[in-house]
Amino acid sequence: MNILLVGPPGAGKGTQAKILEDRYHAKHIATGDMLRAEVAGGTPIGLEAKAVMDAGQLVSDDILIRMLGARLAQPDCAHGMILDGFPRTVPQAEALNDLLAASHRHLDAVIVLEVDEEALVARISGRFACAQCGAGYHRSFHPTAKDGVCDKCGSHEFTQRPDDNPAVVRRRLAAYREQTAPILPFYTARGLVHTLDGMAPMEQVTAEIEKILRQVGVAAPA
Ligand code: ADP
Ligand code: ADP
Ligand code: ZN
C-alpha cells in the first residue's frame, strides 16, 4: 500500500499515519520528522532548514526531493508507505511521480483531511510529544493516561515544537493554502483524491480511511 495523507498543519496526518502503520505494515514517512532530525543532528541540511521551519515557510523543493528520493530507496519502504507532509508543492508531486514510476510503484490513494482553521490552531497549541519515543499527544483531545508519564515508554520528558505557536501557525496555514492545496488538482485528475472530515474523533477518521482503503482494493493484513 502506498498512500499520501494530505492536510493543513494539525489536521491529524501524523496521528492517523501512526495507527495505519501498525495495521497495514506500511512505513510512515514524515518529512517534517526527517527535517527535525537533521536540525537536531546539526547536519548541513538541518542548518539550512532550521530558520525556514521556525518561520513557518517551506524548505526548498531541491532539499526535500533529494531527501525523499534517498528515503524511498531504503528497503523498509519496499512493502508500502504512508507519506505524511510530502509532497507539499506541485514540483514535489511531479518528482514523487517520477520516483514511484522509476521503482515500479504507484499510489493507491491520496487522502485529504479537512479541518476548520480555528480547530487547527487549538489542536496545534495543545500538541506535545514524548521526548524519548516520539509518541504524539494533545493536552485536551489525547492526554497521557497518567499525568506526566508517556503511555508508550513510561518517559517523564515531553517536548513541544518551536513552530507550534499561533503566529507561526498562521504562516504555515497560509503556506498550505498557497503552495500545498494546488497539488490536489494534480491528483484529482488521476482519480486518486478522497476527502474526509478531519473534525471527527480520531477513531472515526481512522474508520473512514480504512473504508476508503477497502474501496480502492487495499486490505489490512490479517
Ligand atoms: P505539520 O505537522 O504542521 O503538518 P510537518 O512536521 O509536516 O508539519 O512540517 C514541519 C515543517 O517542516 C514545515 O512547516 C516545513 O517548514 C518543513 N517541511 C516538512 N515537509 C516539507 C516539504 N515536503 N516541503 C517543504 N518543507 C517541508
Ligand atoms: P498533523 O500531523 O497533521 O500536523 P497531528 O496528527 O500531529 O497533525 O495532530 C495535531 C494535534 O491534534 C495532536 O495533538 C493530536 O493529538 C490532535 N488530534 C489529531 N487528530 C485529532 C482528532 N480527530 N480530533 C482531535 N484532536 C486530534
Ligand atoms: Zn514515550
Side-chain angles (χ1 to χ4, degrees), residues 4-7 13 58 61 83 85-96 107 110-112 175-190 192-193:
L4 306 185
L5 292 182
V6 181
K13 304 181 295 295
L58 296 186
D61 285 339
L83 276 177
F86 187 100
R88 257 181 162 93
T89 64
V90 171
Q92 291 181 21
E94 288 165 348
L96 176 64
L107 291 176
V110 174
I111 294 170
V112 182
Y176 180 79
R177 275 195 306 270
E178 290 158 20
Q179 290 167 276
T180 304
I183 70 174
L184 293 177
F186 178 91
Y187 291 115
T188 304
R190 289 163 175 76
L192 289 170
V193 172

Side-chain angles (χ1 to χ4, degrees), residues 91-116:
Q92 291 181 21
E94 288 165 348
L96 176 64
N97 238 29
D98 295 345
L99 282 168
L100 291 173
S103 53
H104 308 288
R105 286 180 274 194
H106 68 274
L107 291 176
D108 296 296
V110 174
I111 294 170
V112 182
L113 301 175
E114 284 189 331
V115 177
D116 297 348

Side-chain angles (χ1 to χ4, degrees), residues 35-48 50:
L35 286 168
R36 282 183 288 277
E38 300 277 352
V39 171
T43 66
I45 287 180
L47 292 175
E48 189 172 335
K50 187 178 187 321

Side-chain angles (χ1 to χ4, degrees), residues 130-135 137 150-155 157-158:
C130 173
Q132 283 302 320
C133 74
Y137 297 99
C150 175
D151 297 354
K152 298 247 162 73
C153 76
S155 161
E157 262 189 88
F158 296 91

Side-chain angles (χ1 to χ4, degrees), residues 9 13 31 35-36 57 59 64 85 88 92 161 172:
K13 304 181 295 295
T31 46
L35 286 168
R36 282 183 288 277
Q57 290 164 342
V59 177
L64 265 293
R88 257 181 162 93
Q92 291 181 21
R161 284 168 44 176
R172 287 160 57 202

